[in-house]
Amino acid sequence: MVNFRHAIPTEVFFGEGQVKNLADVLNRYGKKVLLVYGGGSIKKTGLYDTVMEILNANGFVVTECAGVEPNPRIESVERGAKLCRDHSIDVILAVGGGSTVDCAKAIATGALYDGDYWEMVETANKIRKALPLVDIITLSATGSEFDANAVISNMTTNEKLGGVFCYPTVSICDPTYTFSVSAYQTAAGSADIMSHIMENYFSRTDDSDLSEGIAESILKSVIHNLPIALKEPDNYSARANLLWDSSIACSGIPGYGKQATGWPCHAMEHELSAYYDITHGVGLAILTPRWMRYILAKDPSVTARFAKFARNVWGLEGSDDAQLARLGIDKLESFFKEVGIPMTLTELNINEENFRKMAEHADKVSSLRNAYVPLMVEDIIEIYKACL
Ligand code: NZQ
Ligand code: ZN
């Protein structure tokens, strides 16, 4: 095992009805609240009304920052940070999916930042000051409710950058708020959860037993619960498991004690979203099996780990590791297809026009040369091509 640091300060209220704690939680920080939300799903589901009733009944002064985009834009960060300054905001309340929570993290940081906001995103890992952030998460995917990361897009420069901003101080995670998530976003979000696990699981460290067990359990939980949630969107147990899976998957915990891996599929996916504004989880589902086959062919020393994945996650049996390794990847790809995810870039109207630029940018801003199996620009281009 390699050394690691555990420091997750976020307080989580998990389960149905936990919004009853909202007023008490916000009162810790003050009365002036910036309410951040997305394109309107919370109005359709009635969550907006629930939240506003609580805020009004408890004397909070609310300023709204609505319309945060999926793949949140730097312009929304700027708008929110300005609202914080203009209204002397005490606390930010984000209600929505990972994009809303990510944007709120950057707003919380931006409110106390003097300088250019895109520069702030580029150097986020060095910033430690932020307004307090409370969130109510409505989509199981990113784990943004339980980590400090945010991913912000700049569509004018075709850049989508992740960085460490701030942890939510409190997250309210009520699985019933995810009942209304569409089948497409439920499947994409689950692919994201699985990717957060697989990005750490395929590492050179073999002896971090607890992390391995947590990782395999989360993958098996998603494989079990996603089809149920798709068939029965209001199945509490399935939705609750997916939600807690998502919070832990991106928390760092499943990677504790393991050598860094470079998170290659995320690095390659962020380029796709930056150029084509695609759904993050869909990009990951398309890339992951292709990346797996590519590295397995490039470096057969990874065969044993892929065979372990096939045995422990997919329940495959056999003594031929090379064959099991391939079958495990096939299983993953079939699973993504069965849950309705488009599995080629061609289906998303993406061709190879920008592959080189994307690969060069991924090479510049990510650590792919130090990945589990190191990837150079030409490797990345080949993986993109295999996704067509
Ligand atoms: O905008 P609204 O109207 O709210 O609709 C959203 C959006 O259209 C909708 N939605 C959310 N909750 C819903 C709902 N619809 C019905 N019922 C609900 N309960 O779903 C759509 C997608 O929402 P979004 O927030 O974009 O999805 P997700 O949670 O998957 O977040 C994706 C973003 O997070 C980043 C991604 O790159 C992407 O920008 N990531 C953040 C990470 C982090 N903070 O650690 C890590 C991830 O790897 C990821 O990169
Ligand atoms: Zn992700």
Side-chain angles (χ1 to χ4, degrees):
M1 268 173 85
V2 302
N3 295 358
F4 64 90
R5 170 173 175 263
H6 169 83
I8 301 176
T10 305
E11 183 180 355
V12 173
F13 290 91
F14 190 96
E16 183 166 12
Q18 292 286 21
V19 76
K20 67 178 183 222
N21 297 293
L22 182 61
D24 283 351
V25 160
L26 291 174
N27 269 327
R28 296 175 192 168
Y29 308 109
K31 285 290 178 195
K32 290 183 195 156
V33 178
L34 182 76
L35 175 62
V36 180
Y37 57 97
S41 72
I42 65 163
K43 290 203 166 161
K44 282 190 210 129
T45 60
L47 182 54
Y48 174 86
D49 292 337
T50 306
V51 168
M52 286 307 285
E53 266 167 38
I54 294 170
L55 297 178
N56 290 333
N58 289 277
F60 290 99
V61 181
V62 182
T63 303
E64 296 198 21
C65 178
V68 172
E69 314 80 0
N71 297 325
R73 312 291 200 261
I74 187 64
E75 290 80 5
S76 295
V77 175
E78 231 169 305
R79 181 162 57 90
K82 186 168 183 313
L83 286 171
C84 288
R85 287 168 193 253
D86 292 350
H87 297 268
S88 308
I89 293 294
D90 298 314
V91 53
I92 297 175
L93 173 60
V95 185
S99 293
T100 293
V101 179
D102 279 10
C103 190
K105 287 176 183 173
I107 291 172
T109 310
L112 305 181
Y113 182 82
D114 289 316
D116 176 77
Y117 288 116
W118 187 246
E119 257 171 49
M120 173 186 84
V121 172
E122 287 176 319
T123 57
N125 297 5
K126 295 185 191 146
I127 302 163
R128 288 289 173 270
K129 268 195 311 181
L131 286 178
L133 166 66
V134 174
D135 72 84
I136 302 176
I137 193 76
T138 64
L139 203 164
S140 305
T142 61
S144 189
E145 67 280 8
F146 202 50
D147 72 18
N149 298 335
V151 187
I152 305 297
S153 294
N154 184 338
M155 298 317 264
T156 43
T157 57
N158 290 123
E159 284 177 288
K160 177 175 177 179
L161 295 181
V164 179
F165 285 79
C166 59
Y167 280 93
T169 50
V170 178
S171 290
I172 294 176
C173 307
D174 181 336
T176 65
Y177 299 153
T178 69
F179 286 179
S180 54
V181 176
S182 67
Y184 187 78
Q185 288 293 341
T186 299
S190 297
D192 191 23
I193 299 170
M194 293 177 79
S195 176
H196 297 157
I197 294 295
M198 294 183 289
E199 295 277 42
N200 281 323
Y201 187 78
F202 292 95
S203 154
R204 294 285 168 186
T205 306
D206 283 323
D207 68 344
S208 192
D209 295 348
L210 181 60
S211 295
E212 296 280 277
I214 292 170
E216 288 166 359
S217 293
I218 289 178
L219 290 175
K220 285 193 281 191
S221 169
V222 175
I223 292 163
H224 174 70
N225 287 296
L226 170 57
I228 299 173
L230 292 176
K231 235 186 264 159
E232 303 163 35
D234 56 357
N235 184 305
Y236 184 85
S237 176
R239 291 291 194 181
N241 276 293
L242 289 175
L243 186 52
W244 190 228
D245 288 340
S246 75
S247 300
I248 297 298
C250 205
S251 66
I253 292 170
Y256 285 174
K258 301 190 66 161
Q259 192 179 314
T261 60
W263 281 51
C265 292
H266 273 69
M268 291 185 283
E269 196 295 311
H270 286 171
E271 300 302 321
L272 284 171
S273 287
Y275 275 80
Y276 301 103
D277 198 17
I278 66 168
T279 300
H280 175 61
V282 170
L284 291 169
I286 295 171
L287 281 161
T288 304
R290 280 57 183 244
W291 162 75
M292 288 176 160
R293 292 196 185 98
Y294 189 84
I295 63 166
L296 187 59
K298 187 176 180 200
D299 181 356
S301 76
V302 302
T303 304
R305 178 141 285 271
F306 276 95
K308 179 177 179 182
F309 172 70
R311 287 190 183 97
N312 293 1
V313 176
W314 298 103
L316 299 176
E317 290 175 4
S319 54
D320 181 346
D321 273 12
Q323 190 190 27
L324 272 186
R326 287 192 297 274
L327 290 176
I329 301 171
D330 292 347
K331 276 282 210 185
L332 177 70
E333 188 172 16
S334 308
F335 178 73
F336 286 150
K337 264 189 206 149
E338 281 158 22
V339 296
I341 299 177
M343 284 303 288
T344 61
L345 293 180
T346 311
E347 286 165 80
L348 306 182
N349 296 319
I350 296 173
N351 60 28
E352 56 186 289
E353 185 189 347
N354 292 310
F355 285 175
R356 180 161 294 279
K357 272 190 271 178
M358 287 158 48
E360 283 170 357
H361 191 259
D363 179 52
K364 193 170 124 202
V365 299
S366 310
S367 357
L368 296 184
R369 290 175 186 228
N370 299 315
Y372 173 50
V373 172
L375 299 175
M376 306 297 150
V377 169
E378 298 307 321
D379 297 314
I380 302 167
I381 293 172
E382 287 308 310
I383 295 170
Y384 283 138
K385 281 187 185 165
C387 295
L388 286 170

